[in-house]
Amino acid sequence: MTGGSTSSPRRAARAPYVFLTPFFVTFLVFGLYPIIRSIVLSFFITYGPRSQTFVGLGNFAFMLGDPDFWIAVRNTAVFAAASLLIQLPLSLALALALNRRRLAGRGTLRLAYFSPRLVGMVFVGVIFRLLFEGRGLLTTVSHALFGTDLNSSMLDSPSFVMPALVLTSLWLYVGFNMIYFLAALQAVDETLYEAALVDGANAWQRFLHVTLPGIKHVTVFVVVLSTIGSFQLFELPYLLLGNGPGAGKAGLTVVMYLYQSGFISGDLGFASAIGWTLVAAVMVLALVQMRLSGTLRKEA
Amino acid sequence: MQPQTANRPSRPAAGRVASLREAAGEWFPFGLAPLLILAMTVAAGAYLLLHPAGRGRADLRMWTFANTHWDAYRKAAGQFARDANARVAVELVHTTAVTSRLRAAFWTGKNIPDLAEVEITWAGTFFTGPVEQIGFVDLRPYLVRDGLLDKIVSARLAPYTHRGRIFGVPHDVHPVMLAYRRDLFARYGIDANELTTWEEFIAAGRRVTVARGGSGDVYMINLAATASHSFEVFLFQRGGGYFNAAGEVIIDDDLAVDTLKWYTRLLAGPNRIAADPGMDGPGWVNSVQDGLCLTFICPDWKARMTELQVPALSGRMGLMPLPAFSPGGRRTSTWGGTMIGITAPCRDKDLAWRWLKQIYLDPAAAGKLMESTGILPSYREAWRLPQVSRPVAYWGGQRILADYARLADTVPAEHTSPYSELVKGQVGTAIANAVAYYRRRGEAGFDRFVRRELSALAAGVRDKQRRNPF
């Protein structure tokens, strides 16, 4: 009854191409062209899109010699490590807790833990900024517990900027990653647990030898995704630290360094060089993670 | 029975849809839904092409980022429509977005307003690149032609002057005074009139802060420990700056080093008299209200902000000139600023200039803006308006605009650069590092540390300047 059914076979054969055309046109214009253009740009010093001077690998050399770049790399790496070592174990622990069948209010708790992700990064950034303000909620608690300065924003202390970013990201992402683990846990074969129980395995042994291997693929996926996400960190420090790198540049991330170079200093060429360096670094890290986990071998 | 009854009226409609499908299928073989989507896409695209964003039927488009300006300019636009028979569309763009949107507009040549207001920190970023590609028009010929150049505070033209061209007319002067709690000064036996030098101010501060055992419940002044905005007030007051008129970075000169050391000692160490509860937001409001800090740096824009955000202190606040660094020295500085510029692609620059004069360089209009914003205009003629001498009850009946006007001609020049924002951010870091060092080690090696910090900062900026061929 559709138009397609009344058309000639030749027309019908063209149909898939017509439907795919919008995607390909969009991809060529907004995906492939910027990718190729940014590779070319990375060999130029630019001011905006119209003024450029060829510098070969000069942008990469300057970047590697710029102390700010290394501060950004260090901050980003610290955040990524914190994401992997704190956030993911917490997500897994939460998923294990909320996977128990007898837990009352399981659905409500799952929603509650996942809900921070629904409110959006901007909202979270603004709210946490207020909490860290002088005499804000967290500042008051910290003052009561550790005797820190009540009147200054905690974000004004260079040593607290990174912990603040990690804390905020925990609130935002622990519940989100929990969903992946929860889905993986529900896919683990129940009979394996029963067999392990019959063999006399205790809870820790069952976790180590049944649960972990059972959720390995999802874990690798979450680890790679979290690593990539951590290296792309921008919005959270940008919002939390008031559009800048924060006290002592403790919140300067690689993408913020890229943004400042490209969109404040106007050097899109240098920003492209930073972007491609980031792509290379993330690819290497992802490959190393997949290799270490054995995922690559299995795929091969 | 019921389903039949319910279906009956829909039969003709279903028939119509089916026949529509068949008709559409004859020349568009992929179905009715894709056809509708395509039709909507084409219609929306055509609408957007035929109605470019923003301009509408306006003769001029202007961007501003301040709510108070937006209100005042929209009112002025009504008058302008009658006087010049021209419509002005005044668009409010968020402070953070205005610079990035304007930069993107200049780069792409699309959706460029005819006039735009830009905040002083960001102004320099628009003056980089080849001169012929700068997005703003040189306004010097207009200012000279209309005899206005000498009527604007010259120090305020400096931030918007680059390579000999004036790309923006300053909206304001932003002279700085010190806001203080009259009631608390009286309680602690401090006479504001006697604090004519920073030495006297610090001595009074120590009497209050140190004599109370450094209990942390009262400080003499609110200063930023990790950002540059209050540090630069002192640096400018002493005649220093981030850049000189030639755009060279001078943040590592002896004056800057000495100022940073002096500033750090206010914030840290045994003689600390300053706290950092923030310069805005709840932390700042609480600090003023609770009397945590007896004074804070207060340009004219902050005076109005204080009135609005801390209304409970009406009648209990006062404003005094900044103490000088040496007897008889400069008693003010400057903090913040806004320029207006006419963009290069503006089609009717004379009309844009006429509008600019109406809102910035006309005493009556400037007076109205001054009433709504509490900001002293850079156009001197406006300082003679009656509203300048009006007493303000909030400030204990003090004629604060007249006080600001008395200081306005002595405000120091602030030279900007495309790297201003970068340097300000890095100076904030240097302050944080200096404060942390001084807390840890005091005077031992402090001079060397500060010199090293500022030298490294300046060297980094010089590297960036050197490799920029534009």
Side-chain angles (χ1 to χ4, degrees):
Chain A
M1 286 304 284
T2 61
S5 65
T6 58
S7 63
S8 68
R10 212 170 138 194
R11 274 180 165 182
R14 278 208 307 261
Y17 300 102
V18 173
F19 284 117
L20 285 172
T21 301
F23 165 76
F24 276 114
V25 169
T26 313
F27 175 71
L28 283 174
V29 174
F30 298 107
L32 197 60
Y33 171 73
I35 287 172
I36 294 168
R37 180 88 176 107
S38 70
I39 294 174
V40 175
L41 270 179
S42 67
F43 301 110
F44 288 85
I45 290 179
T46 70
Y47 175 69
R50 280 177 288 174
S51 311
Q52 44 187 251
T53 302
F54 183 73
V55 288
L57 294 172
N59 281 331
F60 294 93
F62 185 80
M63 179 185 69
L64 295 175
D66 186 359
D68 282 356
F69 172 69
W70 293 108
I71 292 173
V73 169
R74 188 193 63 202
N75 290 340
T76 311
V78 168
F79 181 83
S83 292
L84 292 182
L85 301 176
I86 304 173
Q87 197 184 101
L88 297 189
L90 276 177
S91 295
L92 180 57
L94 212 55
L96 286 167
L98 296 184
N99 196 37
R100 287 159 58 195
R101 289 222 178 87
R102 285 179 204 159
L103 187 72
R106 201 164 63 141
T108 314
L109 284 171
R110 283 177 185 175
L111 176 68
Y113 284 114
F114 181 73
S115 58
R117 192 72 182 85
L118 301 174
V119 296
M121 190 85 82
V122 174
F123 181 80
V124 173
V126 171
I127 290 292
F128 270 79
R129 193 174 159 78
L130 287 174
L131 294 178
F132 289 125
E133 280 272 352
R135 302 191 184 197
L137 180 68
L138 292 176
T139 321
T140 310
V141 171
S142 171
H143 174 71
L145 292 177
F146 310 111
T148 53
D149 193 349
L150 175 66
N151 298 304
S152 301
S153 166
M154 294 174 84
L155 298 170
D156 283 348
S157 162
S159 55
F160 190 74
V161 169
M162 187 51 70
L165 286 174
V166 172
L167 194 68
T168 311
S169 76
L170 285 183
W171 193 75
L172 200 55
Y173 290 112
V174 164
F176 181 65
N177 288 325
M178 172 200 78
I179 294 294
Y180 289 114
F181 286 122
L182 210 50
L185 287 172
Q186 284 165 7
V188 178
D189 192 349
E190 283 290 324
T191 56
L192 293 175
Y193 287 109
E194 287 161 14
L197 211 57
V198 170
D199 289 344
N202 60 27
W204 173 247
Q205 286 167 328
R206 289 199 299 277
F207 173 72
L208 210 60
H209 300 294
V210 179
T211 308
L212 275 187
I215 62 167
K216 187 179 172 184
H217 277 87
V218 170
T219 307
V220 172
F221 171 74
V222 174
V223 165
V224 171
L225 211 64
S226 293
T227 309
I228 294 172
S230 301
F231 274 82
Q232 290 175 336
L233 182 69
F234 173 71
E235 302 99 316
L236 197 59
Y238 187 78
L239 291 161
L240 202 61
L241 306 173
N243 312 343
K249 291 185 199 166
L252 181 70
T253 63
V254 175
V255 180
M256 191 182 280
Y257 178 66
L258 181 157
Y259 171 78
Q260 287 186 332
S261 305
F263 297 98
I264 294 176
S265 303
D267 192 346
L268 298 175
F270 187 53
S272 300
I274 300 166
W276 279 104
T277 308
L278 181 66
V279 168
V282 167
M283 274 179 74
V284 168
L285 274 172
L287 285 172
V288 167
Q289 284 173 340
M290 290 169 80
R291 174 121 197 160
L292 287 176
S293 63
T295 314
L296 273 185
R297 273 197 302 274
K298 277 189 183 168
E299 296 294 329
Chain B
M1 287 300 284
Q2 253 181 342
Q4 279 180 349
T5 316
N7 279 342
R8 208 169 288 147
S10 69
R11 269 181 194 156
R16 275 202 300 276
V17 171
S19 59
L20 199 64
R21 273 183 182 157
E22 276 172 28
E26 282 176 16
W27 59 275
F28 190 79
F30 310 116
L32 186 60
L35 178 64
L36 286 175
I37 292 169
L38 185 67
M40 281 191 288
T41 309
V42 170
Y47 180 84
L48 289 173
L49 278 175
L50 295 172
H51 299 82
R55 182 168 291 278
R57 284 178 295 161
D59 299 292
L60 290 172
R61 272 180 70 214
M62 177 187 169
W63 285 1
T64 181
F65 58 86
N67 260 314
T68 46
H69 294 197
W70 184 58
D71 277 342
Y73 297 158
R74 281 196 311 163
K75 284 173 195 157
Q79 183 65 42
F80 192 69
R82 287 188 289 277
D83 296 347
N85 194 27
R87 286 171 187 241
V88 183
V90 185
E91 295 168 29
L92 182 66
V93 183
H94 191 272
T95 320
T96 317
V98 72
T99 45
S100 48
R101 279 183 60 182
L102 197 56
R103 191 172 292 110
F106 284 148
W107 285 355
T108 57
K110 304 282 180 208
N111 193 28
I112 305 174
D114 299 295
L115 301 102
E117 285 191 324
V118 179
E119 210 267 334
I120 195 166
T121 307
W122 301 92
T125 62
F126 290 101
F127 309 150
T128 188
V131 165
E132 65 278 6
Q133 283 184 26
I134 290 177
F136 289 107
V137 169
D138 179 13
L139 297 175
R140 188 186 290 276
Y142 293 89
L143 288 164
V144 171
R145 186 189 71 193
D146 293 355
L148 292 164
L149 199 56
D150 299 332
K151 294 181 178 173
I152 296 169
V153 180
S154 60
R156 297 304 287 170
L157 286 167
Y160 316 120
T161 304
H162 209 68
R163 289 178 262 185
R165 294 163 173 82
I166 299 172
F167 292 112
V169 172
H171 165 259
D172 38 56
V173 188
H174 290 334
V176 165
M177 296 178 83
L178 267 189
Y180 65 97
R181 287 279 300 267
R182 285 176 190 274
D183 52 342
L184 296 181
F185 261 37
R187 187 193 298 170
Y188 296 120
I190 303 169
D191 182 354
N193 295 318
E194 285 178 3
L195 304 179
T196 58
T197 65
W198 282 113
E199 211 177 318
E200 290 162 354
F201 180 87
I202 292 167
R206 283 180 187 159
R207 275 203 306 278
V208 176
T209 314
V210 181
R212 290 167 71 90
S215 57
D217 58 354
V218 63
Y219 292 93
M220 188 64 177
I221 188 168
N222 175 340
L223 296 178
T226 57
S228 61
H229 45 257
S230 44
F231 164 76
E232 71 183 31
V233 165
F234 302 115
L235 186 64
F236 296 155
Q237 189 189 4
R238 297 182 77 182
Y242 299 111
F243 298 90
N244 60 19
E248 295 160 338
V249 64
I250 53 167
I251 192 61
D252 56 344
D253 65 11
D254 285 344
L255 188 66
V257 169
D258 193 58
T259 308
L260 181 52
K261 281 160 52 186
W262 176 86
Y263 184 82
T264 305
R265 290 184 191 112
L266 301 180
L267 275 159
N271 293 320
R272 173 185 176 188
I273 61 161
D276 179 12
M279 289 291 165
D280 50 29
W284 171 72
V285 170
N286 289 336
S287 77
V288 180
Q289 208 149 269
D290 301 349
L292 175 77
C293 296
L294 302 188
T295 68
F296 60 88
I297 295 167
C298 190
D300 46 3
W301 57 264
K302 199 161 178 82
R304 175 57 60 87
M305 186 175 136
T306 310
E307 292 168 28
L308 296 173
Q309 295 191 6
V310 203
L313 292 183
S314 181
R316 287 193 277 163
M317 295 294 294
L319 280 166
M320 57 179 275
L322 290 187
F325 274 90
S326 55
R330 184 188 276 140
R331 298 291 305 270
T332 190
S333 184
T334 186
W335 178 7
T338 300
M339 64 155 256
I340 188 169
I342 297 175
T343 60
C346 171
R347 284 182 296 194
D348 192 343
K349 293 185 177 63
D350 285 328
L351 184 68
W353 174 247
R354 196 171 162 189
W355 165 246
L356 187 157
K357 280 203 297 181
Q358 168 147 341
I359 53 173
Y360 267 49
L361 304 169
D362 170 76
K368 279 182 193 159
L369 188 59
M370 188 161 48
E371 273 185 86
S372 64
T373 61
I375 292 172
L376 192 75
S378 65
Y379 185 54
R380 281 202 198 83
E381 305 273 310
W383 301 354
R384 290 201 290 262
L385 291 168
Q387 49 265 58
V388 172
S389 334
R390 215 170 275 161
V392 183
Y394 184 90
W395 299 95
Q398 203 173 331
R399 298 171 205 282
I400 63 166
L401 276 174
D403 289 342
Y404 279 118
R406 261 191 293 280
L407 297 166
D409 263 325
T410 59
V411 293
E414 175 185 355
H415 299 288
T416 58
S417 145
Y419 299 93
S420 290
E421 198 273 337
L422 177 80
V423 171
K424 288 185 182 196
Q426 300 204 341
V427 166
T429 303
I431 293 169
N433 293 345
V435 168
Y437 182 95
Y438 198 72
R439 275 186 191 141
R440 236 178 15 250
R441 301 195 188 164
E443 290 293 334
F446 185 51
D447 180 78
R448 202 170 55 246
F449 177 82
V450 170
R451 278 183 196 283
R452 204 174 54 220
E453 279 285 309
L454 294 182
S455 296
L457 190 166
V461 177
R462 286 189 192 109
D463 276 350
K464 288 187 171 71
Q465 283 180 318
R466 253 195 303 275
R467 75 183 295 269
N468 183 354
F470 309 113

